[in-house]
Structure formats: structure tokens, C-alpha cells
Amino acid sequence: MRKCSLSKIDLLFAEIAKTQSLYMPIDGADGRAVYSKWQAGKAWSSALNTVKSPKNFFFPHTEELANFKTAGKTIEIIDVRAEAEDFVVFGVRACDAKSFDILDRVFLTDPVDSFYASRREHGVIITTACNRPTETCFCTTFGIDAAEPAGDISTWKTGGELYLKANTEKGEALLAALEGVTEAADDAAVRAEKENIRKIMKKLPLADVKADAFGGGKTKQYFDDPAWAALSESCLGCGTCTFVCPTCQCYDVKDFNTGRGIIRFRCWDSCMYSDFTLMAHGNNRNSQKERFRQRFMQKLVYYPENNDGIFGCVGCGRCLAKCPISMNIVKVMKTLGGKN
Amino acid sequence: MQKITRDALIEKAAALLENGTVSAVLGWKRGEFDYDVTPAVFNSIDEMKEGFVWNDFCGANFSKYLVSKTKKAEGKILVFLKPCDTYSFNQLLTEHRFDREKVYAVGIPCEGMADIDKIREIAGDGISKIECGEKITVTTLYADEPVVIECEKVLEGRCESCKSKAHVAYDELMGDEGEVLDSNRFDEVARLEAMSAEERFAFWQNELSKCIRCNACRDICPACTCEKCVFGNPNSGVENKAISDSFEEKMFHIIRAFHVAGRCTDCGECSRVCPQNIPLHLLNRKFIKDINSFYGEYQAGAEVGSRAPLVNYTTEDLEPGEVFAKGE
Ligand code: SF4
Ligand code: SF4
Ligand code: SF4
Ligand code: SF4
């Protein structure tokens, strides 16, 4: 384990930023934290988390997939893929770190998504433990330990110091390169802080939310539950929940005619939208109830069914905080799971 | 704090359900915390007793829900309307968007709604309890003592410049009726107008670049009631789910602002729900201010059936060139 005084953390950041881009939550002009590129003079935000999750780094909101140019009867396909550059994402919370595992299972299984894979390969994730979780946090529901965040390097902020521990080869290599700005440390302070965090986690209002009632093989049990009607009653179908969610992974592929050629790009899609998975014959989800059900069944039943029981939600609480009508996965779990 | 109580509203609903005036109630439903209130349809008094709330977090405007709910409902639906909600209600009626016969509207007074972000700024994270009384008392996981906050300090932005405490539509009124207020709602617009064109462009560029295109602003907006929005229609040719470039982003917002110009009642729902806290209402308020100064005072939704200046031709109308000149 290494440590670095928080008063000198800029030196640490500068050292990382020397060789690659460094991103972290930084407060914007309106005081809200946004993952942004670090430069001298910018400070790491003290906010618990950002509205937009760090999944953007690997699976951006929009990205070009290919370009096409036509000349007469020929069509040229231009591969726009470029090897991603090395970068570091700092300050990732345990919930968001876990979301990368969930995305990996989708994008890195055959056929591998080369866009995503290249970014994953070149990105180093530095996580940080949550000293002050908030009331919407329920990562523990999904077995995530906010005191022991995953990632290539984990960090803890305590007693005016930032403690760093490498978990992967990539992490070790980076930490080794930071020896000049860190010093060796024992883990006594970190152990105490972890205990502290775990104590707070138990006191959170959502600490008792359990996912046990859900998982693979439960489609029949929940699909026709009459409660979906009331749960989805006032859903606007806006898609806020899907766009702020670190694990939502659906995208649409579209062609944009520039007049001189075609740009084929993909952009996030939302199962809450009426044209989601629209096919030639029409749509198989025609009501907002069905769309709403899809989102939560995907997280709680379908994803675990196809992924060794791992849930498709990490309990980050973004959808709790941001849904315009305050309907969310916790309310769904409590309503459906509570009676089974 | 609200002057009318939850119990009074439940009592009113009970009477109307019992005597058969209405068959269901559109109201605010309690959530996981004390502030995450969800619009819901209550079918019985028992359901209301269990889940209905009326407190400083009942900002949601139900008028737009009437479009879909009245189609489904058998019998009348009871809706509680705050003063600002009644303007949207009238505007939707003007546009023939729902059947007035299927609604029983009860106007209720409103002292202004609280903004949970502002409360969080003062009380801190980890909110475990909020009590709405004379003042707002917030208990958090991290402060030893509950934090007591004056309601005025944490009012939602739109309530700080409330345009009216008077209801413009109702079947029945509860509590004391208020008055149309002389609000300061155009001050912020004036501040933007005072900027140079470059500054103003930079302001909007910065704000709109935060947009994640979740469409919450559009979907909550009582003036946005197209069955199928062009931006959500794959056959429109302009459908987009995402920002393919920063120009598109502005296009979405500017087209939306134009589309609701003269119909936007300034209810403030767009800015309330935006997850990125973009002050969208300022775009629409600029239109309102301009309409007022170019065509004479006009408040959308103040009455049913009024001819909005932008769809009402008169020979006195000013020429586009004059509008342009004034905008410079
Ligand atoms: S659940 Fe909430 S955020 Fe998601 S689509 Fe419905 S209204 Fe929007
Ligand atoms: S479903 Fe909600 S709580 Fe779960 S990961 Fe997505 S945004 Fe976070
Ligand atoms: S959900 Fe857990 S890991 Fe995520 S921010 Fe909250 S406490 Fe931290
Ligand atoms: S609600 Fe906000 S983030 Fe969502 S589309 Fe509207 S402006 Fe953009």
C-alpha cells in the first residue's frame, strides 16, 4: 500500500497526467460534479458521484462506427476505428466500478465489440471508497462493498491522506510509476476507515433492500404481475433512468447522410422509448407498461439469467435521484419482491 | 409549509368518491424517502390513506396526465390543482386535449414547493428524514442535530418567482383564494438580454452542452402533447436519440421552444425535472416576455379558448423586421 498527502494530491495527478489523459469528477461552474479532464488548477470534486456515469469512457453516448463513400456504383467502406489512447479514470465509486463488469459481459463476449474493447484495454480505473454514502445508495443489495471498491487501483481518503492499493497488473504498473509522489504505508488507517464505512452502510435507509426474490428463472413469476400497471402508471417514458444508469447498455445504430457520404454511428437507446427494437412488423412492446417492465426485468431477471446470476443493477441510486416522477428500481423491488 | 392539510384533501376526496361524483383520484404518492413523491391514481379511500401525500414536495403538475387518464377513466377523475397547474389545465382545454366533462378539478392553495437539491446543499447528504412544518426539519446520517431550514430558503426556482396564487380553473376551491402576483420572473431573462450576443451564445452553449437528451423536459411538458414527437418518430427524418453533434442539441431545444411559444404557461416543469439542471424555462420565458412586449400582455392558459397572439393575425401586428431589430 502507498499513500500520498491530500495536500499534495496535485503532484500525484500531475504525474499521471504527464503521460496520459486523466479524468475525474470535477465540479462544474454550477457546482455539480462531472467527469472531466484534469489539468493543473482543477480540483477533485468532493461530491459522492456524478449524474452521468463513467460508462461514457468505454461506451460513449454516441460514436462513429464506419463511414461510407459512394462513387458511381462503388461504395467505399471507411474504417474509422483508431486504437484508443491510454487514459486513467480516477475517483470511480465501487458501484460504477462494478458496472464495468456488467458491461464487459455484454461487449467482450463473442462477438467482441472492438470499440469498447480498445477503450477497456487502454483505460486504467482508479476507484475510491465512499466515506459518505447517501440515502439513495444501495450497492450492498448487490454484494458490492463501498469500503473495498474494485478497479485497477483502489484508494481511500482518510486522515488527510489518500491511500492507494493496486489490484491488477495495470494498476501495479501505474502505481510503480507513481513512486516518486507516493510513499509506502501500512494499512492500519485504511482498515479503520473500512470499518467506519461498513458501519455507515448498515445505517443507510435502503440497507435492508434485498434482491433475493429476483434472479434468473423468475420470468414467469413476475412477468404478468398485476403490480406493473400501478408501478408504470405515471412513467413518462422519458429515458432519464436509462441514460443516467451505469449498466444500461442498449444502443441504436443509425446512418446519417451528410450529402457527401454516410456516417454510421451508434447512440444510446432506451427501452423506455416507443421505437426501441422497432422491427418491420412493428413493435412488440406497445404500451409504456411493457417498456417499463422491460427495463426492470432486464436488470433483475433477464440479465442474471444469462450471466450466472449477476444482477444488472449496481445500486448506484442515480435513477432514484433523477427520475422525474420518482419511480425506480427500489420501488419495483419492494413492490414485487415484497410479496413473494 | 402548506396551509391546507393532507387530511383535508383526503376528506374531500372521500366525500367525492362516496357520493359518486368521481371514480378515481389523481394525486401525489409517498415514496421511499420523504421527498420522492410520485404521481398516482388512487381508486379508493383506503389507497389514499395509505399512500397519498400533500407536502412541500408535491411539485408535479397533473394537468398533462389528464390527457391519458381521462381516456381510460370510467366516470370522472378528481384532480388537485395548484394555482400554476390550472394554467396548464386551461391551455390543454384550449387545445382540446382532454374532455372537461371527465374531470372534477379541486383548486388547492400552494405556498411554494421545496427543492431537494437546495435542501441537500444546506443540510448535506444522507437525508434520512424531512419534516415539513412551519420550517423544514432535515435529519441526516452525518449531522448530530436535525437541520432546521426556513421554507423560503429552499423554494424551487419557479416558486421563487411564482406568477399567481390565484386559480384560473376549478370546479371547487379549497382554502383561501390568492391573487395574481407581480412576479420578478422576467428578471433573469433581462439579465440574459443584457449580455452581448457572444456572451449569450456562450451561456446557452454551456448550458445545452450538459444535455443528455433524456427527453424528460419534453415528456413532462404540458404543452408538448403531440402523440408522436418528430424527435421520437423514426419516420420523421429528424429523429434522434442522442447528440450526434452540439448543433443538433441546440436544434432540439430551440425547435421545442418555438413549438411551445405562446402555449407555454411558464409552469416550470421542464427545469424542475432536468437531471442536468439546465434552466430551460428561460428559453420559453424569453418568448413570453417578447410576446408581452410585441403584442401586449398575454398569459397562456389564463382562460380557455383565448386566441394566442402568435396564431391571431391582426393588421397591427409588427413586421418580422421590427422583431429582428429589437432582438439585436
Ligand atoms: S421510470 Fe422515470 S426516468 Fe424512467 S422513463 Fe419512466 S419517468 Fe422517465
Ligand atoms: S438501475 Fe438505477 S440504481 Fe441500478 S445501476 Fe441503474 S441507475 Fe443505478
Ligand atoms: S452506491 Fe455504494 S459504491 Fe455507489 S456511491 Fe453509493 S455507497 Fe458508494
Ligand atoms: S431534461 Fe435536460 S438533459 Fe433531458 S433532454 Fe431535457 S434538457 Fe436535456
Side-chain angles (χ1 to χ4, degrees):
Chain A
M1 182 157 296
R2 312 280 303 172
K3 68 174 181 182
C4 162
S5 163
L6 284 169
S7 60
K8 291 195 190 134
I9 199 156
D10 274 3
L11 296 178
L12 179 89
F13 292 157
E15 192 60 31
I16 300 175
K18 246 189 216 169
T19 52
Q20 52 199 323
S21 297
L22 168 63
Y23 300 92
M24 68 180 72
I26 291 172
D27 289 341
D30 61 359
R32 276 162 237 276
V34 182
Y35 274 97
S36 334
K37 193 164 174 169
W38 181 86
Q39 299 158 333
K42 298 264 182 200
W44 175 26
S45 170
S46 61
L48 180 67
N49 220 338
T50 53
V51 175
K52 271 171 96 170
S53 86
K55 89 173 169 193
N56 272 276
F57 290 111
F58 306 102
F59 173 41
H61 205 141
T62 47
E63 75 184 309
E64 259 177 64
L65 300 179
N67 289 345
F68 303 97
K69 270 213 172 100
T70 47
K73 285 201 166 162
T74 60
I75 178 158
E76 188 193 347
I77 303 173
I78 303 162
D79 191 348
V80 293
R81 274 175 295 189
E83 189 76 6
E85 289 179 352
D86 288 346
F87 65 99
V88 173
V89 188
F90 178 90
V92 175
R93 297 294 177 180
C95 49
D96 290 345
K98 174 74 181 178
S99 78
F100 303 141
D101 290 349
I102 292 169
L103 299 175
D104 284 354
R105 283 173 168 265
V106 175
F107 291 107
L108 298 184
T109 41
D110 227 21
V112 169
D113 186 298
S114 52
F115 297 85
Y116 179 86
S118 170
R119 296 202 185 90
R120 279 295 269 149
E121 230 165 78
H122 288 272
V124 177
I125 315 262
I126 306 183
T127 59
T128 195
C130 304
N131 312 59
R132 277 174 163 254
T134 195
E135 75 272 11
T136 47
C137 295
F138 62 112
C139 49
T140 37
T141 299
F142 301 107
I144 299 163
D145 185 356
E148 190 83 66
D152 297 304
I153 296 175
S154 312
T155 71
W156 292 264
K157 216 157 88 164
T158 179
E161 306 274 352
L162 184 77
Y163 291 83
L164 305 98
K165 190 186 91 189
N167 307 317
T168 63
E169 262 174 46
K170 260 198 229 169
E172 269 162 26
L174 179 60
L175 207 49
L178 297 174
E179 273 188 7
V181 285
T182 59
E183 53 186 283
D186 68 42
D187 64 352
V190 168
R191 259 188 287 133
E193 184 57 24
K194 281 189 201 168
E195 224 162 86
N196 211 0
I197 294 173
R198 288 180 186 135
K199 249 189 246 156
I200 302 172
M201 293 309 295
K202 285 207 185 94
K203 282 198 282 185
L204 291 179
L206 301 181
D208 60 346
V209 177
K210 295 272 176 299
D212 305 349
F214 302 92
K218 303 272 171 105
T219 305
K220 281 219 175 89
Q221 186 180 337
Y222 293 115
F223 196 79
D224 287 322
D225 197 306
W228 289 114
L231 285 167
S232 62
E233 175 115 55
S234 50
C235 171
L236 304 166
C238 64
T240 304
C241 50
T242 51
F243 284 4
V244 296
C245 179
T247 69
C248 272
Q249 57 218 217
C250 293
Y251 60 84
D252 197 359
V253 176
K254 295 187 156 270
D255 286 344
F256 179 68
N257 188 345
T258 63
R260 271 163 283 135
I262 306 283
I263 296 175
R264 175 161 296 172
F265 68 102
R266 72 167 158 203
C267 58
W268 293 352
D269 204 345
S270 171
C271 50
M272 292 295 191
Y273 290 165
S274 58
D275 65 341
F276 179 73
T277 63
L278 181 66
M279 289 170 271
H281 81 285
N283 203 326
N284 53 355
R285 288 180 215 100
N286 283 317
S287 66
Q288 197 53 35
K289 181 185 100 176
E290 292 165 295
R291 294 174 205 129
F292 180 95
R293 175 173 62 195
Q294 166 62 26
R295 175 162 197 271
F296 298 103
M297 287 292 277
Q298 159 69 7
K299 305 265 181 240
L300 299 169
V301 179
Y302 309 152
Y303 188 94
E305 175 142 346
N306 298 324
N307 292 281
D308 310 321
I310 294 172
F311 286 101
C313 168
V314 294
C316 72
R318 285 186 177 86
C319 62
L320 278 72
K322 292 298 170 184
C323 169
I325 59 147
S326 297
M327 182 42 73
N328 55 60
I329 194 158
V330 167
K331 289 182 180 175
V332 168
M333 287 168 79
K334 286 200 172 177
T335 307
L336 295 178
K339 51 186 181 188
N340 291 297
Chain B
M1 99 158 229
Q2 302 308 323
K3 287 205 177 123
I4 201 147
T5 63
R6 166 185 186 261
D7 289 349
L9 298 187
I10 293 185
E11 209 174 289
K12 171 62 63 192
L16 291 165
L17 279 166
E18 250 154 48
N19 71 19
T21 308
V22 301
S23 58
V25 182
L26 192 48
W28 301 269
K29 191 172 178 181
R30 179 162 47 83
E32 273 307 307
F33 312 112
D34 292 317
Y35 59 82
D36 60 335
V37 172
T38 300
V41 175
F42 298 87
N43 293 299
S44 70
I45 272 308
D46 287 341
E47 277 179 26
M48 282 194 80
K49 280 188 182 145
E50 201 196 316
F52 180 84
V53 281
W54 170 246
N55 59 24
D56 293 344
F57 300 98
C58 295
N61 174 355
F62 294 150
S63 301
K64 185 176 181 176
Y65 280 115
L66 293 173
V67 176
S68 57
K69 302 298 174 218
T70 51
K71 275 186 198 142
K72 282 192 219 155
E74 309 217 346
K76 282 192 189 209
I77 187 158
L78 164 61
V79 63
F80 290 114
L81 299 174
K82 306 185 289 294
C84 58
D85 303 340
T86 59
Y87 290 81
S88 315
F89 183 91
N90 272 352
Q91 186 60 31
L92 286 162
L93 281 175
T94 301
E95 295 169 15
H96 309 286
R97 297 299 286 124
F98 68 87
D99 183 356
R100 179 70 179 85
E101 290 305 307
K102 291 185 107 174
V103 180
Y104 190 83
V106 173
I108 55 175
C110 170
E111 307 308 312
M113 291 292 152
D115 181 337
I116 187 66
D117 288 342
K118 289 186 182 169
I119 291 180
R120 208 179 281 285
E121 257 164 52
I122 298 175
D125 253 338
I127 293 172
S128 51
K129 193 169 170 198
I130 301 182
E131 287 155 289
C132 302
E134 271 307 312
K135 295 183 180 171
I136 296 179
T137 310
V138 188
T139 313
T140 71
L141 294 167
Y142 302 108
D144 297 334
E145 292 283 313
V147 182
V148 181
I149 309 172
E150 311 265 346
C151 298
E152 299 73 50
K153 286 218 174 102
V154 291
L155 275 186
E156 276 186 27
R158 59 174 173 178
C159 304
E160 278 174 349
S161 47
C162 176
K163 62 182 178 288
S164 172
K165 297 283 184 206
H167 299 75
V168 290
Y170 53 82
D171 290 302
E172 187 179 334
L173 209 53
M174 289 177 77
D176 299 330
E177 180 63 319
E179 283 172 12
V180 174
L181 303 177
D182 194 11
S183 97
N184 59 354
R185 65 185 170 130
F186 295 117
D187 289 2
E188 255 183 298
V189 178
R191 194 173 58 78
L192 288 178
E193 286 171 341
M195 289 179 176
S196 69
E198 291 75 29
E199 285 169 339
R200 203 160 46 234
F201 185 78
F203 171 85
W204 283 112
Q205 174 104 323
N206 174 48
E207 288 297 343
L208 296 179
S209 68
K210 293 191 264 177
C211 174
I212 59 172
R213 266 319 280 286
C214 65
N215 293 315
C217 50
R218 175 195 72 189
D219 292 338
I220 199 89
C221 173
C224 271
T225 58
C226 294
E227 296 285 326
K228 192 108 196 124
C229 174
V230 284
F231 291 111
N233 182 353
N235 298 326
S236 72
V238 294
E239 185 233 18
N240 52 8
K241 293 175 180 150
I243 350 149
S244 66
D245 60 36
S246 65
F247 170 74
E248 250 184 64
E249 219 30 77
K250 291 184 215 85
M251 186 171 83
F252 167 68
H253 288 294
I254 289 166
I255 289 179
R256 208 181 79 77
F258 268 98
H259 196 193
V260 301
R263 306 190 298 119
C264 163
T265 64
D266 203 2
C267 74
E269 285 284 86
C270 48
S271 297
R272 178 180 70 91
V273 301
C274 176
Q276 292 288 63
N277 296 80
I278 301 171
L280 296 155
H281 65 284
L282 291 179
L283 277 178
N284 306 315
R285 226 176 243 179
K286 164 69 176 157
F287 279 108
I288 297 172
K289 185 166 181 277
D290 282 354
I291 289 170
N292 283 348
S293 67
F294 294 151
Y295 303 100
E297 294 277 320
Y298 175 76
Q299 170 60 52
E303 59 204 15
V304 180
S306 62
R307 293 282 292 176
L310 294 183
V311 292
N312 198 23
Y313 175 75
T314 73
T315 47
E316 272 81 58
D317 282 353
L318 66 168
E319 297 296 327
E322 289 174 63
V323 179
F324 181 74
K326 287 190 187 184
E328 270 186 323

